[in-house]
Amino acid sequence: MVTAARATRNTDDDGHTGGGAPTRAEGPPAHADRPDASPPHADRDGAPPAYANRDGAPPADSPRPGEARSDGAPACADHAAPPHATRADDPLPRPVLRSAVELYLDLHAHPELSGHEHRTAGRLAARLTELGCTVTRSVGGGHGIVGVLDNGPGPVVLLRTELDALPVTEATGLAYASTVPGVMHACGHDLHIAAVTGAVALLAASRDTWRGTLLVVGQPEEETLNGARSLLEEGRLYERFGVPDAVLAQHAAPLPAGTLAHAPAGGPPLMAGSVAVEAVLHGRGGHAATPHLNVDPVLMAAATVLRLRTAAAEATAPAEQAVLTVGSVRAGERGNVTPDHAELSLTIRAFTQDALDRLTTAAERVVRAEAAASGAPRAPGFTVTARSPALVPDPELTARVRGAHERLLGPGRVLDLSGSPATEDFPHFAAGGVPVAYWMLGTTGAGPWRTARAGGDPVPPNHAPGFAPDVRAALPVGIAALAAAARQVLAPRSAGGRGTDS
């Protein structure tokens, strides 16, 4: 087992892990000799880079890592593409990687917000159909999709990917940056979708080696924490498509590209649980020149925000990890008009249900008390809009998946990840005791990592305007990691002496 501290001492397989992007990285990333992160360079015909020839071998004129190609463009891979789901020396087929890169570039340029993922769902559905899946659209009343690849009797494995983007204005300067004003794939969901399609392509092409059913779920509204429950409850996901024997997912993280990270056995939850709240503070609107006749909800909101931060600290034991964030304050339209209400959006995060309940109660108490202290004409609204439990991957399934990843990449590039206060609605897929496994996919290129290590700009984390995964290093590993994980659950099938991952 390699921890982040040990990984930083390795010469070839270094890495850093933790709850967020490092201010000063503690060691060079895997593939430290790769060129700095930049858009995947296209071939002269405009197609994505050639990572390997059709037979899986690297191009004859493939440069050494970090060197320029003969046409002057940076090298897009090491001597061969990153490993296949079976052996570290078996590169991904060129058509699989080419298709995944093309999909990623398109999705990144055309992000869609939660609840509006029509185009994104359509692109994923079309690709799954091409790969032989039976696809059902509009599962759960939104843009959820389910693809089914039936390969005979055997275990059922569900691969989950998210569809939605964030209301963030991109500032990466990438050639394929978002074309939608104010909307960006700042959390890596475009990378997740591309990786899932690549993994399905690998598994579809090797049906003679496994038995069972592959379910691929494209989940909308992850960022609002509503999508998973909608699929499971309104969409009756497990009733209609079968209860899976395992649910698998990965998530982009500001770790070194070329690494994966799992929750260590017996450690804290991989991610915190959360509660999302919308609060409405009611005032009495009027002219800005007559404050004595008004009840100003803007001042009420300002006092509430400050008091909420104090209440969170007071409701949390020193040894606990908990976070209360006011992410949005909305009030008024003009500087000379006192509005009649203000709205607050809160997120509460903690690793235990007790702490979540305690902080939610404290937050409601503060909102109501500040409204009363300000003389609000009526009681405030306090509505919990979403809940998600802490993410605790199944230990047995995680051990099997981690073993596959260590065989895939080498143990030095599979890291331990301490619990993160980030949150997900993925834990809902564990309803009824369904085993789930979840890991982090490193996305930070060598250049940004070295800069952070040297005391320069920190690595842009998820949700930041500058979040820019090193696609050349991260996407092939993400594809191979998902396929290798799925093979740990799908039943092996002997065909001409061929086997599977085990």
Side-chain angles (χ1 to χ4, degrees):
M1 182 178 296
V2 176
T3 64
R6 281 185 58 198
T8 60
R9 296 196 294 269
N10 293 343
T11 56
D12 296 326
D13 303 314
D14 300 0
H16 167 89
T17 187
T23 300
R24 293 176 181 268
E26 299 166 4
H31 304 305
D33 52 357
R34 288 185 182 274
D36 290 359
S38 59
H41 288 268
D43 290 337
R44 299 190 180 198
D45 61 358
Y51 288 79
N53 291 327
R54 295 183 187 278
D55 60 1
D61 60 348
S62 178
R64 290 183 300 170
E67 291 185 342
R69 301 188 320 204
S70 58
D71 61 1
C76 288
D78 292 322
H79 290 289
H84 182 273
T86 303
R87 300 192 311 273
D89 58 353
D90 184 9
L92 294 175
R94 173 175 173 155
V96 170
L97 193 51
R98 177 185 291 272
S99 178
V101 170
E102 288 176 338
L103 180 59
Y104 171 80
L105 297 179
D106 178 71
L107 293 176
H108 190 88
H110 301 92
E112 295 175 305
L113 291 175
S114 303
H116 301 276
E117 310 95 334
H118 176 76
R119 183 183 185 278
T120 305
R123 288 303 315 272
L124 176 56
R127 181 61 183 140
L128 293 177
T129 300
E130 292 172 3
L131 294 171
C133 295
T134 301
V135 176
T136 303
R137 300 280 300 267
S138 302
V139 179
H143 296 297
I145 72 167
V146 177
V148 181
L149 186 64
D150 189 349
N151 198 30
V156 177
V157 177
L158 190 156
L159 304 181
R160 192 289 303 257
T161 184
E162 316 94 304
L163 305 178
D164 51 342
L166 285 161
V168 175
T169 299
E170 183 161 355
T172 62
L174 294 170
Y176 51 92
S178 171
T179 60
V180 182
V183 183
M184 175 192 176
H185 267 298
C187 205
H189 295 178
D190 48 353
L191 186 68
H192 304 169
I193 297 169
V196 160
T197 62
V200 174
L202 291 180
L203 293 166
S206 59
R207 290 190 185 201
D208 58 340
T209 67
W210 59 274
R211 292 183 294 105
T213 300
L214 193 66
L215 299 181
V216 184
V217 171
Q219 178 198 319
E221 300 185 74
E222 186 278 328
E223 295 293 351
T224 62
L225 301 179
N226 289 317
R229 292 184 68 176
S230 175
L231 286 169
L232 290 162
E233 297 175 5
E234 298 173 37
R236 298 181 294 110
L237 179 66
Y238 290 169
E239 297 174 39
R240 295 170 61 187
F241 300 96
V243 177
D245 295 282
V247 182
L248 308 173
Q250 62 188 358
H251 204 294
L255 304 170
T259 66
L260 302 172
H262 283 271
L270 183 59
M271 285 187 176
S274 66
V275 176
V277 174
E278 292 291 325
V280 181
L281 298 165
H282 300 286
R284 182 180 299 115
H287 200 291
T290 58
H292 59 293
L293 300 178
N294 310 331
V295 176
D296 192 342
V298 177
L299 291 176
M300 199 186 308
T304 301
V305 170
L306 294 176
R307 183 63 179 139
L308 281 170
R309 298 300 294 268
T310 303
E314 292 172 347
T316 305
E320 283 183 313
Q321 286 184 286
V323 180
L324 189 155
T325 303
V326 180
S328 175
V329 180
R330 305 173 296 277
E333 299 292 339
R334 299 286 299 274
N336 62 349
V337 177
T338 298
D340 61 4
H341 73 282
E343 302 171 356
L344 306 179
S345 294
L346 327 175
T347 301
I348 299 166
R349 306 164 189 267
F351 288 92
T352 66
Q353 190 60 48
D354 175 67
L356 286 172
D357 292 343
R358 205 181 329 122
L359 263 69
T360 303
T361 299
E364 183 172 8
R365 182 174 64 247
V366 166
V367 169
R368 296 192 182 283
E370 289 294 344
S374 299
R378 57 193 177 107
F382 189 92
T383 304
V384 173
T385 58
R387 293 181 182 268
S388 183
L391 173 52
V392 183
D394 180 80
E396 180 181 354
L397 178 61
T398 297
R400 293 166 61 191
V401 170
R402 180 174 187 143
H405 289 165
E406 290 179 346
R407 290 188 293 275
L408 174 71
L409 300 175
R413 283 159 58 186
V414 180
L415 313 176
D416 283 336
L417 188 68
S418 58
S420 167
T423 191
E424 250 267 31
D425 65 356
F426 180 76
H428 290 299
F429 288 98
V434 174
V436 301
Y438 189 101
W439 60 93
M440 298 298 178
L441 171 66
T443 61
T444 303
W449 193 268
R450 288 198 191 103
T451 298
R453 183 189 180 198
D457 292 338
V459 174
N462 301 52
H463 293 211
F467 180 68
D470 185 333
V471 184
R472 294 167 296 172
L475 180 55
V477 172
I479 292 171
L482 279 171
R487 288 179 179 277
Q488 298 312 299
V489 184
L490 295 167
R493 177 191 302 221
S494 178
R498 295 179 62 187
T500 70
D501 279 358
S502 61

